[in-house]
Amino acid sequence: MMSIVARRGFKQTLDRATRLIDRSPLLLHGKENCKMISSTPGLGSNFFQVHEAVTKLTKDGQESVLNASLTYLNEKAKLKAKIARGLLGGAIATPTLLGVPLGHNASYHEGVIFAPPRIRKAIWDGSKYSTTEEGKNLIDPRVFADVGDVPIQDMQNLGVNEARLMDFISDSVKIVMNHTPLRPLILGGDHSISYPVVRAISEKLGGPIDILHFDAHPDLYENFEDNYYSHASQFAQIVEGKHVNRLVQVGIRSITAQARQHGEKYGIEIHEMRNFAKERDYLENLALGTSEGVKGVYVSINVNSLDPAYAHGVSHIESGGLSLRDVLNILHNLKGNIVGGDVVEYNPQHDAINNMTALVTAKLVRELAAKISK
């Protein structure tokens, strides 16, 4: 028979082990298993060994699921590339949609996780033709491809940690890039996804890239709200990781003194809306990716760069922004080899009943795709 002290110590060990085991997403019946184990005399502190075994099983299982997901993506990308490159031929660059429905790094609302399918639906809305303003026909698989979404929620449900999740996004982007002529065009999701995407493109191409960034905010906090991966920090990470050579930010109208200092420190070109009228000619004649060693151009479009009169379906409303035509003029006239891009921060939960912001976001995706395609 156990003494009272021994029984109390055993109960404390049991309770602690139960809490630890319950945190494992792969053990759906943690308490039942723990009770079963506790009925075996003499185990005591061996619960920690059980926890270690569960932790290892969980990590191994996570990697298996991650690898299986990447394999599935690889097969889809391979098929799209074969059609564009081989069966039809002639494609040099095919913009390829990859949805990244990640929203937990947003600092306000998280509805952006629902954006990718809504954007896709709006891209093919029956009220519009399949051709873009530049005359590219999106029905042509050499001009436009889609490999689906990264299963962010599934990975979170498995307990995949944030750093590994970001690596998973980077790995997904690299898989798309492995298949010529596919080039990644990312549907967000919150803006934090730009960091793993740009990192992947820079690493894959073997050098820094130039970035044209449309946004109401510069996103240059080093660790916003104690979240290294915040959607207000991704461009600080990109700059500090030396993934970018030249960063041009357009539409900025909410900026802190800290962000200004950071911009000056790293030579970031911050074009604020209060100066837009006199800078319009310059911005509508940008040439990027021209410096020696620069591997191409990346375009990142936060939908909140637009004035809310054009796009109110976003999490952060900031008046006084760009018109849709302002963005399109800059994009259409941009000179440079675009190797990838993203359109982020559309929030369906804040859109109007007629999905107007979804249609505006789709317009940005379509025109960016046409700019990438060649």
Side-chain angles (χ1 to χ4, degrees), residues 45-64:
S45 61
N46 286 346
F47 284 112
F48 293 105
Q49 296 176 0
V50 173
H51 173 59
E52 289 176 0
V54 169
T55 299
K56 184 179 185 305
L57 177 65
T58 299
K59 289 182 178 179
D60 291 346
Q62 288 172 348
E63 288 303 315
S64 294

Side-chain angles (χ1 to χ4, degrees), residues 28-105:
L28 300 179
H29 305 289
K31 290 182 179 179
E32 288 74 10
N33 287 340
C34 205
K35 289 176 182 176
M36 179 183 69
I37 295 171
S38 69
S39 65
T40 304
L43 284 181
S45 61
N46 286 346
F47 284 112
F48 293 105
Q49 296 176 0
V50 173
H51 173 59
E52 289 176 0
V54 169
T55 299
K56 184 179 185 305
L57 177 65
T58 299
K59 289 182 178 179
D60 291 346
Q62 288 172 348
E63 288 303 315
S64 294
V65 176
L66 287 165
N67 291 333
S69 178
L70 293 173
T71 299
Y72 179 50
L73 173 62
N74 184 65
E75 291 304 311
K76 289 190 289 184
K78 184 191 299 183
L79 172 61
K80 300 291 183 177
K82 281 183 177 179
I83 294 172
R85 183 186 66 247
L87 183 62
L88 297 175
I92 297 173
T94 301
T96 304
L97 294 188
L98 176 66
V100 184
L102 183 149
H104 62 269
N105 286 323

Side-chain angles (χ1 to χ4, degrees), residues 66-368:
L66 287 165
N67 291 333
S69 178
L70 293 173
T71 299
Y72 179 50
L73 173 62
N74 184 65
E75 291 304 311
K76 289 190 289 184
K78 184 191 299 183
L79 172 61
K80 300 291 183 177
K82 281 183 177 179
I83 294 172
R85 183 186 66 247
L87 183 62
L88 297 175
I92 297 173
T94 301
T96 304
L97 294 188
L98 176 66
V100 184
L102 183 149
H104 62 269
N105 286 323
S107 58
Y108 196 31
H109 300 293
E110 294 187 7
V112 293
I113 63 172
F114 304 112
R118 293 285 285 274
I119 298 171
R120 284 189 178 89
K121 184 177 180 180
I123 288 171
W124 301 110
D125 183 86
S127 67
K128 58 177 64 65
Y129 296 119
S130 60
T131 52
T132 67
E133 291 189 10
E134 293 188 341
K136 302 288 183 66
N137 194 330
L138 300 182
I139 292 178
D140 188 335
R142 295 168 296 183
V143 172
F144 196 56
D146 190 346
V147 291
D149 293 348
V150 177
I152 296 294
Q153 190 61 56
D154 288 346
M155 299 309 156
Q156 288 179 308
N157 290 341
L158 283 173
V160 174
N161 66 40
E162 191 73 3
R164 185 65 185 91
L165 192 62
M166 291 295 170
D167 289 343
F168 178 54
I169 295 171
S170 292
D171 292 342
S172 299
V173 172
K174 288 179 180 179
I175 281 177
V176 171
M177 295 179 69
N178 282 342
H179 299 283
T180 304
L182 305 188
R183 296 192 180 182
L185 177 50
I186 311 302
L187 301 181
D190 71 51
H191 215 157
S192 68
I193 65 175
S194 292
Y195 168 57
V197 174
V198 169
R199 179 181 65 181
I201 293 175
S202 172
E203 290 176 351
K204 185 69 177 174
L205 296 179
I209 55 180
D210 284 350
I211 299 176
L212 174 58
H213 169 210
F214 295 94
D215 207 320
H217 317 90
D219 297 342
L220 291 171
Y221 289 96
E222 292 185 353
N223 195 16
F224 186 72
E225 294 183 342
D226 200 32
N227 178 8
Y228 178 76
Y229 295 107
S230 168
H231 72 157
S233 301
Q234 73 279 3
F235 283 100
Q237 298 166 357
I238 288 169
V239 169
E240 289 165 1
K242 299 182 179 179
H243 302 300
V244 60
N245 170 66
R246 184 180 172 192
L247 174 55
V248 180
Q249 300 185 317
V250 183
I252 307 301
R253 54 195 185 276
S254 180
I255 182 171
T256 64
Q258 178 187 5
R260 290 185 195 279
Q261 293 171 358
H262 209 81
E264 292 174 1
K265 177 181 178 182
Y266 288 103
I268 298 169
E269 297 180 39
I270 301 176
H271 297 275
E272 299 181 50
M273 280 307 301
R274 63 195 179 98
N275 301 318
F276 183 72
K278 62 185 178 183
E279 294 179 339
R280 179 188 294 274
D281 288 343
Y282 169 76
L283 293 172
E284 289 183 357
N285 290 280
L286 280 173
L288 297 176
T290 59
S291 300
E292 185 178 353
V294 176
K295 303 302 181 178
V297 181
Y298 186 87
V299 179
S300 180
I301 305 177
N302 187 323
V303 181
N304 74 21
S305 62
L306 298 173
D307 188 89
Y310 299 90
H312 59 270
V314 296
S315 299
H316 293 265
I317 294 290
E318 191 68 48
S319 299
L322 297 158
S323 73
L324 177 59
R325 185 50 56 185
D326 291 333
V327 175
L328 294 180
N329 285 344
I330 294 170
L331 183 61
H332 287 158
N333 294 321
L334 175 65
K335 298 176 183 63
N337 178 31
I338 303 179
V339 293
D342 62 55
V343 180
V344 299
E345 297 284 353
Y346 163 57
N347 190 334
Q349 293 183 332
H350 291 262
D351 205 353
I353 194 169
N354 61 0
N355 297 319
M356 182 55 68
T357 306
L359 293 169
V360 169
T361 304
K363 176 74 169 180
L364 293 169
V365 174
R366 288 160 59 98
E367 296 303 319
L368 179 54

